[in-house]
Amino acid sequence: MKMPTNSFLNALRNGDKQIGLWVSMASSYAAEVTAGAGYDWLVVDMEHSPGSVETTLSQLQAVAPYHGTAIVRTPWNDPVMVKRLLDIGAQGILFPMVQTAQEAQAAVAATRYPPDGIRGVAGSMRGSRFGRIDDYYAKVNDVTAVIVQVETLSALQQAEDIAGVKGVDGIFFGPADIAADMGLIGQPMHEEVWAVIVPVARALMARGMPVGTLVTDPEFATTLLTEGFTFVACGTDTGLLKKATDELLAQMRQVTKE
């Protein structure tokens, strides 16, 4: 068996637009429902969800038969956790709150086997199909997506240095935390937030670095893709469930008031 390709990473390298969805419910059943829609990439979130390594494994298994590439957001830039996530078959890692080029270097190193990094070697694990992928050790470094999150004003100032780290495949802007850092907590769509993000994003695009983000406004997500963002998540499973259940109940309440 040969090493599978990473369609999401290939798309980033080719400049092809990728539409994503956040998966936060820590449920393999819910993950399979969302994966069946056909999004290009899915973020299995461990930072802001009740998910564990075990629930993440079940979500990866549920997503595997479908089109979208599963990227796992690790709770922190922790090489031990990253090692475990790669061993269970994550095709990429999204690293939260990367503040400096040095932290980006540590993130890349956590995903790479020596001599390029510090990832420990397991003989039999899901990532290598339990040893059945003949060229796993030779190819995995090149097909594992490393996406780092820029989420503060300080990180925005250092974004070009972060993007210059070898092995970083994309820069993800976190508008919610940037908003909080600006004293605008709870207002990720505020025009002042995007006024500081967009110039940095354009500078990174100019040097060929793919940029992405999560926004839950489909029109704004479309605008970002049109203006050069490569990978944009346009919703969350929890948000979609909340919206649908609220709207259904509001519709039915109208019946009881008539």
Side-chain angles (χ1 to χ4, degrees):
M1 185 183 300
K2 296 301 179 185
M3 188 74 195
T5 60
N6 184 327
S7 59
F8 171 72
L9 185 54
N10 288 343
L12 261 57
R13 290 170 176 170
N14 293 332
D16 299 330
K17 307 298 185 183
Q18 297 289 282
I19 300 170
L21 188 77
W22 229 249
V23 178
S24 302
M25 294 178 69
S27 161
S28 60
Y29 205 65
E32 185 167 8
V33 172
T34 56
Y39 289 88
D40 299 311
W41 60 294
L42 300 164
V43 171
V44 178
D45 190 19
M46 292 183 71
E47 184 190 14
H48 292 297
S49 85
S52 64
V53 173
E54 290 78 11
T55 60
T56 299
L57 169 60
S58 68
Q59 289 170 288
L60 294 178
Q61 291 169 325
V63 169
Y66 296 93
H67 166 70
T69 300
I71 306 297
V72 179
R73 179 161 71 170
T74 182
W76 196 244
N77 193 350
D78 173 9
V80 175
M81 177 60 76
V82 170
K83 172 178 59 180
R84 297 189 71 192
L85 296 177
L86 294 176
D87 282 354
I88 63 172
Q91 290 185 276
I93 304 292
L94 179 61
F95 289 86
M97 202 61 72
V98 172
Q99 297 280 71
T100 65
Q102 289 72 28
E103 291 181 5
Q105 289 168 349
V108 173
T111 69
R112 303 297 197 245
Y113 285 120
D116 301 314
I118 61 170
R119 180 183 172 188
V121 179
S124 178
M125 39 74 178
R126 182 174 181 269
S128 67
R129 302 296 190 271
F130 305 99
R132 294 186 177 99
I133 298 177
D134 301 330
D135 55 354
Y136 180 81
Y137 298 118
K139 298 288 183 62
V140 68
N141 285 0
D142 191 52
V143 299
T144 299
V146 177
I147 311 297
V148 299
Q149 290 190 227
V150 170
E151 302 187 84
T152 66
L153 293 175
S154 175
L156 284 171
Q157 293 173 352
Q158 301 185 66
E160 291 198 61
D161 290 337
I162 292 170
V165 171
K166 182 180 180 181
V168 171
D169 297 302
I171 300 294
F172 180 100
F173 294 98
D177 282 288
I178 291 171
D181 200 29
M182 296 174 67
L184 297 167
I185 192 166
Q187 303 179 67
M189 297 298 292
H190 196 288
E191 61 181 14
E192 292 181 21
V193 175
W194 287 94
V196 298
I197 292 175
V198 169
V200 177
R202 287 175 176 161
L204 296 182
M205 293 176 204
R207 61 185 292 167
M209 173 57 66
V211 298
T213 192
L214 163 66
V215 293
T216 56
D217 179 336
E219 290 187 10
F220 190 61
T222 300
T223 297
L224 292 176
L225 288 166
T226 301
E227 294 184 355
F229 276 62
T230 306
F231 58 108
V232 176
C234 56
T236 68
D237 57 356
T238 52
L240 292 170
L241 181 60
K242 171 184 174 293
K243 183 174 185 291
T245 52
D246 285 353
E247 289 179 352
L248 178 60
L249 180 59
Q251 180 181 347
M252 297 307 299
R253 290 293 189 205
Q254 291 300 317
V255 175
T256 64
K257 293 176 181 178
E258 292 177 356

